[in-house]
Amino acid sequence: MRIGILGSGVVGQALARGLSRHGHEVRIGTRKDAVEGFSIGSAEDVVGSADLVFLSVLGTAAVEVAAGVRKELRNKILIDTTNPLDFSSGRPGLFVGHTDSLGEQVQRAVPEAQVVKAYNTVGNTLMVDPDLPGGPPSMFLGGDADEAKGGVTALLQATGWDVVDLGGIEVSRYLEPMCMAWVLHGARSASWDHAFKLLRR
Amino acid sequence: MRIGILGSGVVGQALARGLSRHGHEVRIGTRKDAVEGFSIGSAEDVVGSADLVFLSVLGTAAVEVAAGVRKELRNKILIDTTNPLDFSSGRPGLFVGHTDSLGEQVQRAVPEAQVVKAYNTVGNTLMVDPDLPGGPPSMFLGGDADEAKGGVTALLQATGWDVVDLGGIEVSRYLEPMCMAWVLHGARSASWDHAFKLLRR
């Protein structure tokens, strides 16, 4: 697949590296002149030519960046990996939740795109081919378009994940807080190689 | 230990049955005249004589029930297993979240008690001695008193759980939404024998 990644930070780079390893043609959409080791382009160009797009910017920029390529995202799958992390109070929190979520805000910003919330409950080092004792871990996801979720599920399963589909994009209200559980364990244990798994019979 | 359980529904009964099996002396605090198969008493009496108390009522009643035994709970550990579930809109949601939580509301209602949020991210059938492939599952907890969390951790570890302490009682903001992920998977799969595990190296 041709995969476009919006965001050139550690998450975008980890996804680009991991998905390239699986044979996908990956480009990062960025305003930067270069991102060492990666193929880049403008957000519009990268999204326009992609089969699948990841939104992997800071939570505070997610809606604006998605809205900026609304036209190019029409009828495309947008995987929203972002979290509404808020460190302004001194301890980590979320800037939206409970009755709304960043996933829903992103979907509202690009109504013609098929937004799938996924990849937000794990850190960048484990996003592709997670190798953990007791694995594979479970990626929880949600989105309004079943076909889009099917595509994301196939990608996840091909890259080392068990997949748990929880419903529509509004489940972002529950997945984004799960990110905080992931973050808090990392901060307390000073280790970041952990992931959730849903045990079931 | 002498364990008191506030709530005579399926959760309270499952906890009472499971913890009795481990040799604990368990009583259910209730206004009912009898709960078949269980030793009961008034909430005041049960809490007053308990070493450890579970709050296992409906989320909508949690604060009121806890406040009603504030005096008896002084200096005791209260395990808050409740979730702010709200079914009034037709689809399940939470009636508090993001910037507050039911766990924090309960702690504010009984400030002299040591509230530990736990047991809220799994269903009643798995609360004691969960037997799942790939287990033990992980119980996520939070509370302001380290000593209280130590006691709850010991109980959990003795009854089949891995334990992940995420911090103070405010982590209820993240644990209560995780309950929704548990609920949504159950509703979609029509099976309720599942639990989270935190995989780590």
Side-chain angles (χ1 to χ4, degrees):
Chain A
M1 281 193 293
R2 282 173 303 180
I3 294 177
I5 296 179
L6 297 170
S8 61
V10 286
V11 173
Q13 292 192 19
L15 285 168
R17 205 162 25 235
L19 295 171
S20 295
R21 204 168 55 225
H22 278 266
H24 298 292
E25 190 183 312
V26 184
R27 280 206 301 160
I28 292 177
T30 176
R31 280 176 293 194
K32 292 180 185 161
D33 292 334
V35 179
E36 202 185 329
F38 298 95
S39 176
I40 68 165
S42 70
E44 294 78 1
D45 188 38
V46 163
V47 173
S49 65
D51 302 311
L52 180 73
V53 180
F54 282 84
L55 180 63
S56 300
V57 296
L58 286 178
T60 45
V63 169
E64 186 187 340
V65 169
V69 285
R70 173 175 173 175
K71 188 164 53 100
E72 292 80 3
L73 278 170
R74 178 183 285 270
N75 296 324
K76 294 198 176 180
I77 301 172
L78 177 67
I79 303 179
D80 172 22
T81 76
T82 65
N83 280 301
L85 293 175
D86 176 10
F87 295 96
S88 62
S89 78
R91 63 178 169 189
L94 301 177
F95 63 72
V96 62
H98 178 215
T99 55
D100 196 7
S101 62
L102 195 50
E104 289 164 281
Q105 290 182 350
V106 167
Q107 178 65 84
R108 290 198 298 269
V110 290
E112 303 87 1
Q114 300 168 332
V115 178
V116 177
K117 188 88 198 184
Y119 288 88
N120 80 300
T121 55
V122 70
N124 70 83
T125 62
L126 294 171
M127 284 180 171
V128 181
D129 303 318
D131 177 23
L132 286 173
S138 304
M139 188 69 83
F140 299 89
L141 58 77
D144 291 340
D146 284 339
E147 193 187 336
K149 289 192 289 191
V152 177
T153 296
L155 179 66
L156 282 163
Q157 289 174 338
T159 53
W161 286 92
D162 168 52
V163 176
V164 180
D165 175 5
L166 292 180
I169 192 64
E170 76 282 357
V171 305
S172 304
R173 296 176 194 184
Y174 313 117
L175 297 184
E176 290 165 7
M178 280 185 72
C179 156
M180 283 299 302
W182 186 91
V183 165
L184 291 169
H185 175 72
R188 290 178 67 90
S189 66
S191 71
W192 301 91
D193 285 332
H194 53 284
F196 298 106
K197 182 180 179 74
L198 189 68
L199 305 182
R200 57 257 212 216
R201 286 214 180 88
Chain B
M1 283 193 294
R2 282 173 304 180
I3 294 176
I5 296 178
L6 297 170
S8 62
V10 287
V11 174
Q13 292 192 18
L15 286 168
R17 204 161 27 235
L19 296 171
S20 296
R21 203 168 58 225
H22 279 266
H24 297 293
E25 190 183 311
V26 184
R27 282 205 300 161
I28 292 177
T30 176
R31 279 177 292 195
K32 291 180 185 162
D33 292 333
V35 179
E36 201 184 329
F38 297 95
S39 176
I40 67 164
S42 69
E44 295 79 0
D45 188 37
V46 163
V47 172
S49 65
D51 302 311
L52 179 74
V53 180
F54 281 83
L55 180 63
S56 300
V57 296
L58 286 178
T60 46
V63 169
E64 187 187 339
V65 169
V69 286
R70 174 175 173 175
K71 188 162 54 96
E72 292 81 3
L73 278 170
R74 177 183 285 271
N75 297 325
K76 295 197 176 182
I77 300 172
L78 178 67
I79 303 179
D80 173 22
T81 76
T82 66
N83 280 302
L85 294 175
D86 176 9
F87 295 96
S88 62
S89 78
R91 63 177 169 189
L94 301 177
F95 62 73
V96 63
H98 179 213
T99 57
D100 196 7
S101 62
L102 195 49
E104 290 165 279
Q105 291 182 349
V106 167
Q107 178 66 84
R108 290 199 296 271
V110 292
E112 303 88 0
Q114 300 168 330
V115 177
V116 177
K117 189 88 198 185
Y119 287 89
N120 79 300
T121 55
V122 69
N124 70 83
T125 63
L126 294 172
M127 285 181 171
V128 182
D129 304 317
D131 177 23
L132 286 173
S138 304
M139 187 69 83
F140 299 88
L141 58 77
D144 292 339
D146 284 339
E147 194 187 335
K149 288 192 289 190
V152 176
T153 296
L155 179 66
L156 282 162
Q157 290 174 337
T159 54
W161 287 92
D162 168 52
V163 175
V164 180
D165 176 4
L166 292 181
I169 191 65
E170 77 282 357
V171 305
S172 304
R173 296 177 195 183
Y174 314 117
L175 297 184
E176 292 165 5
M178 281 186 71
C179 157
M180 282 298 303
W182 186 91
V183 165
L184 290 169
H185 175 72
R188 289 177 68 90
S189 66
S191 71
W192 301 91
D193 287 330
H194 52 285
F196 299 106
K197 182 180 180 73
L198 190 68
L199 304 182
R200 57 256 211 216
R201 287 216 179 90

